[in-house]
Amino acid sequence: PSQWEGVKNIDLIIEKVWFDDTTLWRRGSVPLTEYQGNALPPGRKLDQLRFVAGPDAAGYPETQGNVWVCVCGRANDLRSDRCCRCERKRDTVFATCSQENVEQLNAVHEQKLGDVAKAAREEASRLTETREEARRRSERKKHLVRLWTILILCLTAAVAAALLWGVPVLRYAKATALLEQGDYAQARTALVALNGYNDTETLLLECDYRQAAALRDTGTESDLHQAAALYEGLGAYQDSADRYRQTLYQLGETMMAAQEFDAAADVFQTLGTYEDSAQQMLEAQYRQAEVMVQNGSYIAARILFEDLGEYRDAAQQVLACDYALGKAALDSGDYRTAVYRLTAAGTTQDAPQLLQQAYYQQAETLQQAGDYEAAGALYQQAGDYEDAQLKANGCLYEVAREAMDGQDYAKAAELFKSIQPYLDSETLVWECVYQQALIAVSAGDDPGAIALLITIPEHEKGAVLLQECRYRLAAAYAKEGKTEEAAALYAQLGDYQDSASLLRKLQYDLAQASFDAGDYIHSAPLFEALGKYRDSVAKWKQSLYAVAIAAVDNQEYRQAIEDFTALGNYEDSAVKLEAATYALALELKTSGNMDEAIALLKTLPDNAAARQQLSEITFGEAVKAQAAGDLEKASTLYLALGDYETASVRYQLCQYLLATQKKGAGDYRAAYAIYAALGDYQDAATQAEQCAYEAYGRYATPARTAYEAGDWLTVINTLENFDESDLPKAYQDLQGMYEDACYRYAEQLYDEGKVYEALPYYQRIPDYLDVSTKKLTRRSYLILGVWESADGQRSAVFRSDGVCTIFGEQLYFAVDGYALKTGATAGELTTTHKLTVLTQNSLSLRVLTDNSNIVYQLKHISTDPMAELRPSPSPTVASSPTPGTGAQSATPGMPITTVMPEPAVTLRPTAAPTATPRPTVTPTPTATPLVSGATQGG
């Protein structure tokens, strides 16, 4: 136990006992049961009992409360049907070993003994008479005596042989019969009595093996215990070792089902790594801990959960136990324990709030006892609980004042600091630190005073004293030769007295000392920082030049380049810079870093060696690219080399091969451009003509012919996937031909009354001429979509197939100016509504079918009319509406051909020759209008 304070009594309960013979006793979760022993005193009754029950009998069996006492004297649980000591079955014990049965069996036995004695006496008389008769006839049968003697001797020998050889055979047969009948106890007794006859040793093993299997099949806990013991005793007989583990595992599962988790854990632990025994052991321990939690044994449960580590939510359960223990301790007034447990519980449930309460209550106790300092610290731990902060400040403030009055400034400062801001605590902290600094100054401890004073920069006297201490300490350091320390202090002093001049002198001395010692790496930055002080600029350049020269000598070319660049025109720095750059480029070339080497060599345009190296590297990279099949990169590099070696010839070959690749891949535009640029190289001109046809001529010839004939649909279909960008001069007339054909074809369809067949072609070219500003704003198109009233009670849906749903009624429709015609069929349309207002977002619909003339205000909520109209009404439409009516011809039983309005976006490709093709739209075949002579809609 971690807490012994206040303990007066201890209850010690034995949970387990391990015996020398490896057996284990467990107390379990039930209370102990007292019972009276049944042992009989030595005498006739005990002898009679042992005659019936065996030599281990101690007394008559009894039932006492929750136990039954066996004939062997062992107490057993009422739920057990076998004695855990002698393994006798309870029913058999009470049936055969009761006092009445024992007395009756003994009486029967005594009667049998009397009968046997009487029979013996009668047999003796009969034998006497027989002997007398034999003597009377002896004289008469002398000659047969010898014969009879021999005969008797033979019979005696036969009987002896039968007794010697026949009896064991019979007993062996009886034992094997008992074994086959499953009477394993009697069979074992019979086999043991045979004392090794024949294969009885093996049969004994088989008897135990079968008995273990039978016990295991019953599945009870006691039988499984016996079966496991038998299998364990059998050792390597057959598969006893495996069955032993299987039986133990089954016993563990049985114990788990009976909620004997402690015993189950021991069993699974014994099994080690057998199957999932390790996992089962953890689960048993976890569930045992859960039972302890339910019984309120939180400490024991916490130990078990903590031992489980990361198994399931054991870690959270540990916190839950700490929470329960802490809450109980808080309720009982044990605030110290409550703090300990609730702190361990972390954020479990409301543990943080309860912890604050525990701190607060403990602080209250200490404050009442007069320990204000400890109480104040605990009040602070209580956080924002009730008035904890106020009480903490009050307690600690008084303690701090007492410490300050007693000149214990360090303690006072810490206490005042802990309660900021409260009253004048911050100011008093500064004052306490200042007083400590004064004491340090008085003792000659300027470093200690400085360390204190830098923590109170806003204290006026402290700031002054800090400057004095730093100045005095800097002078002392300078006198002692601690130049760097002195310079650091003078730098902190700024313009205080002559600190700036003293600082520059010290810095110059440091730089000069490094310079004189040849330590140019340190002197260079020091002189650079001094600026124009004395000869610092000259000394800086000398130092940096020496550093750069050393870098070149050490082949640290990057550092040398950086330093020579900083030196500019100092002495021969420019020459040295060029040499270092060239050397670094060669180093990079050797290491294979060609890109950076090339970049460096390009910075040396006036260096002939650099130009030569650059050409060699570039030519080598071009050859590598060509060999690797990267013809574009190779071409670029060869082109940059101009007339260097065979670069121009290789360039033409790479370009020709690249054009051939493009042609083979179907990129005829790129192939044409490359072939055309090659001029008369090989058959480039012929190849250019072929590619020009594939890239442009294949589209241009039929498109031009169709355009001249006014066959706009053929123009559209021909140029559907054609890229108009970067056209050669001979094909620039194709620019804009697709848009113009779409426009003309849409106008043609519209003029023919095919209003909604024209819509997709307008939508392909929304930015062409007046399409978006005029054509797509016609009322026939504006009305398409889903409309709904503000209250959501009424809605209308208009589709481009000429079918609509108005206020729940499905009809055919057509727009004629501001009139909306509807009807049950496409051929019977009448004016039923008036479009008083129709914009992209608003629709005012006046009903004309009655005398009410009600106008409904609707809002455009979707451009997809199919969202509110699935499926279409029973009438089917075969073609687009006629001008002015929007109606379509209907054929009963045929599906509707719907041309949906598309988003007003540009569908023309603008990419390179391999741009994404335009989506193909096949117009609905033109149908003969059912209504002619109507006013064109919109």
Side-chain angles (χ1 to χ4, degrees):
S2 59
Q3 302 292 333
W4 283 98
E5 184 177 351
V7 174
K8 296 180 180 179
N9 296 290
I10 297 177
D11 290 333
L12 180 62
I13 301 174
I14 298 175
E15 297 286 348
K16 295 183 184 179
V17 179
W18 286 267
F19 293 93
D20 290 341
D21 62 354
T22 71
T23 57
L24 177 66
W25 174 86
R26 301 178 183 80
R27 187 177 78 88
S29 59
V30 297
L32 297 177
T33 301
E34 296 183 359
Y35 71 97
Q36 295 293 328
N38 64 343
L40 294 173
R44 178 176 173 79
K45 287 188 176 182
L46 181 59
D47 292 339
Q48 289 179 339
L49 176 63
R50 287 180 174 174
F51 173 78
V52 175
D56 64 336
Y60 299 117
E62 299 176 357
T63 300
Q64 300 180 17
N66 294 327
V67 301
W68 64 274
V69 185
C70 183
V71 69
C72 70
R74 182 65 164 89
N76 299 275
D77 192 292
L78 279 180
R79 293 172 297 179
S80 175
D81 61 351
R82 282 184 180 270
C83 176
C84 59
R85 175 187 292 163
C86 66
E87 300 184 356
R88 291 182 175 92
K89 288 190 175 182
R90 180 175 62 180
D91 296 341
T92 303
V93 167
F94 279 93
T96 62
C97 300
S98 65
Q99 184 174 355
E100 296 78 6
N101 190 62
V102 169
E103 291 176 352
Q104 183 179 357
L105 290 174
N106 276 276
V108 171
H109 180 65
E110 290 175 355
Q111 181 65 37
K112 285 183 178 180
L113 290 177
D115 294 342
V116 170
K118 180 180 179 181
R121 288 193 297 270
E122 292 176 352
E123 180 65 19
S125 296
R126 187 182 63 79
L127 289 175
T128 300
E129 291 178 359
T130 302
R131 284 196 296 271
E132 288 296 328
E133 180 66 23
R135 280 195 299 271
R136 284 194 298 267
R137 295 177 183 178
S138 63
E139 293 298 330
R140 189 161 41 95
K141 297 180 180 179
K142 278 184 179 182
H143 62 281
L144 296 175
V145 170
R146 190 169 294 149
L147 180 62
W148 281 104
T149 301
I150 295 172
L151 180 61
I152 291 171
L153 289 174
C154 291
L155 290 174
T156 302
V159 170
L163 292 174
L164 181 62
W165 304 106
V167 171
V169 171
L170 294 175
R171 293 168 63 191
Y172 179 84
K174 180 179 179 181
T176 54
L178 289 172
L179 178 60
E180 293 300 327
Q181 293 169 9
D183 191 351
Y184 304 114
Q186 295 296 331
R188 198 178 201 289
T189 302
L191 290 170
V192 170
L194 286 170
N195 196 22
Y197 175 76
N198 203 347
D199 61 344
T200 52
E201 295 297 332
T202 303
L203 289 178
L204 278 171
L205 296 176
E206 180 63 22
C207 180
D208 288 346
Y209 183 83
R210 294 188 183 184
Q211 185 178 10
L215 290 170
R216 178 186 170 191
D217 291 341
T218 63
T220 64
E221 186 175 327
S222 59
D223 287 351
L224 289 172
H225 269 296
Q226 295 180 55
L230 288 171
Y231 281 131
E232 186 178 20
L234 287 170
Y237 181 74
Q238 293 191 28
D239 59 345
S240 298
D242 290 337
R243 284 177 174 262
Y244 168 68
R245 289 190 291 269
Q246 294 170 8
T247 305
L248 276 186
Y249 188 88
Q250 185 177 349
L251 176 61
E253 290 183 322
T254 303
M255 290 176 171
M256 287 281 283
Q259 298 189 352
E260 298 174 8
F261 303 120
D262 187 26
D266 289 335
V267 170
F268 287 124
Q269 186 175 16
T270 302
L271 285 168
T273 58
Y274 178 73
E275 291 189 356
D276 63 341
S277 297
Q279 188 75 9
Q280 291 281 25
M281 184 191 72
L282 295 176
E283 179 64 18
Q285 184 172 335
Y286 181 90
R287 294 175 65 181
Q288 182 185 7
E290 285 186 322
V291 172
M292 290 181 174
V293 168
Q294 294 171 4
N295 295 335
S297 301
Y298 296 108
I299 293 179
R302 187 190 186 282
I303 293 172
L304 290 176
F305 279 130
E306 188 173 28
D307 185 56
L308 286 170
E310 297 181 359
Y311 180 73
R312 287 177 58 176
D313 62 340
Q316 286 71 31
Q317 293 292 350
V318 170
L319 299 179
C321 290
D322 283 325
Y323 173 82
L325 290 168
K327 191 173 186 302
L330 179 62
D331 294 339
S332 64
D334 186 1
Y335 304 121
R336 186 188 300 272
T337 301
V339 167
Y340 172 74
R341 291 297 182 184
L342 291 172
T343 300
T347 58
T348 303
Q349 297 186 37
D350 59 341
Q353 292 74 30
L354 294 180
L355 178 61
Q356 288 182 321
Q357 182 181 349
Y359 276 127
Y360 185 88
Q361 296 297 339
Q362 191 176 2
E364 291 275 272
T365 303
L366 292 174
Q367 184 181 19
Q368 293 172 6
D371 191 351
Y372 294 104
E373 184 174 354
L378 290 172
Y379 277 130
Q380 285 183 326
Q381 294 279 39
D384 57 355
Y385 182 77
E386 294 186 356
D387 58 347
Q389 194 60 47
L390 181 62
K391 287 190 174 183
N393 292 339
C395 290
L396 295 178
Y397 185 85
E398 292 301 324
V399 176
R401 290 292 306 193
E402 290 179 4
M404 186 176 181
D405 293 340
Q407 297 186 357
D408 189 354
Y409 298 114
K411 179 179 179 180
E414 288 300 320
L415 290 173
F416 281 129
K417 191 181 299 182
S418 69
I419 60 174
Q420 291 181 5
Y422 178 72
L423 299 179
D424 56 347
S425 57
E426 186 175 16
T427 304
L428 291 177
V429 169
W430 298 346
E431 186 60 29
C432 289
V433 174
Y434 178 73
Q435 292 298 328
Q436 293 179 74
L438 287 177
I439 294 173
V441 170
S442 300
D445 184 10
D446 285 326
I450 291 172
L452 290 167
L453 292 169
I454 60 176
T455 64
I456 53 170
E458 298 182 17
H459 194 277
E460 294 181 1
K461 293 181 179 180
V464 175
L465 182 60
L466 176 61
Q467 296 291 77
E468 293 175 2
C469 291
R470 280 175 171 168
Y471 187 84
R472 189 164 50 246
L473 184 59
Y477 282 158
K479 186 176 180 180
E480 295 171 5
K482 299 179 180 179
T483 308
E484 293 183 1
E485 293 84 346
L489 288 171
Y490 280 131
Q492 294 173 352
L493 286 168
D495 296 331
Y496 182 76
Q497 296 187 16
D498 57 346
S499 297
S501 60
L502 292 174
L503 173 61
R504 291 171 70 81
K505 182 179 181 304
L506 287 175
Q507 290 175 333
Y508 185 84
D509 292 342
L510 287 171
Q512 187 63 46
S514 298
F515 186 83
D516 294 340
D519 187 2
Y520 302 114
I521 292 178
H522 288 92
S523 65
L526 290 172
F527 280 125
E528 183 180 17
L530 285 167
K532 296 181 180 181
Y533 182 75
R534 296 185 186 179
D535 59 345
S536 297
V537 174
K539 292 285 181 66
W540 167 67
K541 291 183 178 181
Q542 293 177 39
S543 299
L544 189 60
Y545 186 83
V547 170
I549 292 297
V552 172
D553 294 340
N554 295 328
Q555 296 184 357
E556 298 173 357
Y557 300 117
R558 295 185 188 277
Q559 184 63 48
I561 291 170
E562 180 181 345
D563 294 339
F564 283 129
T565 300
L567 286 168
N569 295 323
Y570 179 74
E571 293 188 358
D572 60 345
S573 296
V575 177
K576 298 289 187 184
L577 173 61
E578 183 174 322
T581 303
Y582 182 76
L584 178 59
L586 292 181
E587 184 181 87
L588 293 169
K589 174 187 175 184
T590 303
S591 65
N593 191 350
M594 298 300 181
D595 292 338
E596 191 174 356
I598 291 172
L600 286 173
L601 291 171
K602 286 182 178 180
T603 63
L604 305 174
D606 299 329
N607 189 307
R611 292 197 301 273
Q612 179 64 24
Q613 287 291 339
L614 182 60
S615 297
E616 289 180 7
I617 293 173
T618 303
F619 189 80
E621 290 297 300
V623 171
K624 287 181 182 179
Q626 182 179 356
D630 191 351
L631 299 174
E632 292 187 0
K633 179 179 179 181
S635 297
T636 302
L637 294 174
Y638 285 135
L639 182 63
L641 287 169
D643 295 330
Y644 180 78
E645 292 188 1
T646 60
S648 59
V649 176
R650 287 176 173 271
Y651 170 75
Q652 288 182 310
L653 175 60
C654 287
Q655 284 287 286
Y656 185 86
L657 294 175
L658 182 60
T660 304
Q661 284 184 357
K662 299 288 187 182
K663 179 182 177 183
D667 189 358
Y668 297 107
R669 289 195 175 199
Y672 165 74
I674 298 173
Y675 280 132
L678 286 172
D680 57 355
Y681 181 78
Q682 295 186 20
D683 62 342
T686 303
Q687 295 289 348
E689 291 180 4
Q690 296 177 3
C691 291
Y693 174 77
E694 294 295 336
Y696 307 106
R698 181 182 297 278
Y699 300 92
T701 301
R704 287 167 177 167
T705 302
Y707 190 86
E708 291 296 330
D711 185 359
W712 314 120
L713 183 56
T714 300
V715 175
I716 294 171
N717 292 335
T718 302
L719 299 179
E720 190 71 41
N721 301 315
F722 185 72
D723 180 11
E724 296 179 355
S725 60
D726 301 324
L727 293 174
K729 184 176 182 180
Y731 299 99
Q732 289 184 358
D733 61 314
L734 299 180
Q735 184 76 37
M737 185 179 291
Y738 175 81
E739 287 83 355
D740 187 58
C742 285
Y743 186 86
R744 291 173 179 270
Y745 188 57
E747 288 289 279
Q748 176 181 319
L749 291 173
Y750 193 86
D751 292 341
E752 293 173 357
K754 302 173 183 177
V755 177
Y756 294 118
E757 285 188 25
L759 179 59
Y761 296 98
Y762 284 132
Q763 289 175 328
R764 293 185 182 204
I765 53 171
D767 298 326
Y768 187 73
L769 298 179
D770 60 346
V771 172
S772 60
T773 59
K774 183 177 179 181
K775 306 303 182 184
L776 292 177
T777 59
R778 292 163 172 161
R779 284 184 290 278
S780 298
Y781 298 147
L782 289 178
I783 200 171
L784 295 176
V786 182
W787 303 83
E788 189 176 87
S789 61
D791 58 4
Q793 298 299 315
R794 294 184 178 275
S795 64
V797 182
F798 297 92
R799 301 192 325 182
S800 59
D801 59 1
V803 179
C804 68
T805 301
I806 302 178
F807 306 155
E809 185 178 5
Q810 295 184 359
L811 304 165
Y812 287 91
F813 79 97
V815 176
D816 186 0
Y818 284 96
L820 176 63
K821 296 181 177 181
T822 64
T825 63
E828 299 176 355
L829 301 180
T830 59
T831 301
T832 57
H833 300 79
K834 185 175 181 62
L835 307 175
T836 58
V837 175
L838 177 57
T839 66
Q840 288 184 347
N841 300 315
S842 300
L843 171 61
S844 296
L845 193 63
R846 182 186 297 278
V847 180
L848 303 178
T849 55
D850 53 25
N851 296 325
S852 61
N853 283 331
I854 298 176
V855 177
Y856 294 100
Q857 303 294 332
L858 304 177
K859 183 179 180 181
H860 207 183
I861 63 172
S862 173
T863 58
D864 177 15
M866 300 303 291
E868 296 294 335
L869 187 59
R870 289 181 171 80
S872 299
S874 56
T876 55
V877 181
S879 64
S880 59
T882 59
T885 66
Q888 298 177 341
S889 61
T891 303
M894 294 296 292
I896 296 176
T897 302
T898 304
V899 180
M900 295 298 299
E902 301 175 6
V905 295
T906 302
L907 300 177
R908 297 296 311 284
T910 57
T914 57
T916 304
R918 301 183 183 90
T920 302
V921 177
T922 303
T924 304
T926 304
T928 303
L930 294 177
V931 181
S932 61
T935 304
Q936 183 167 312

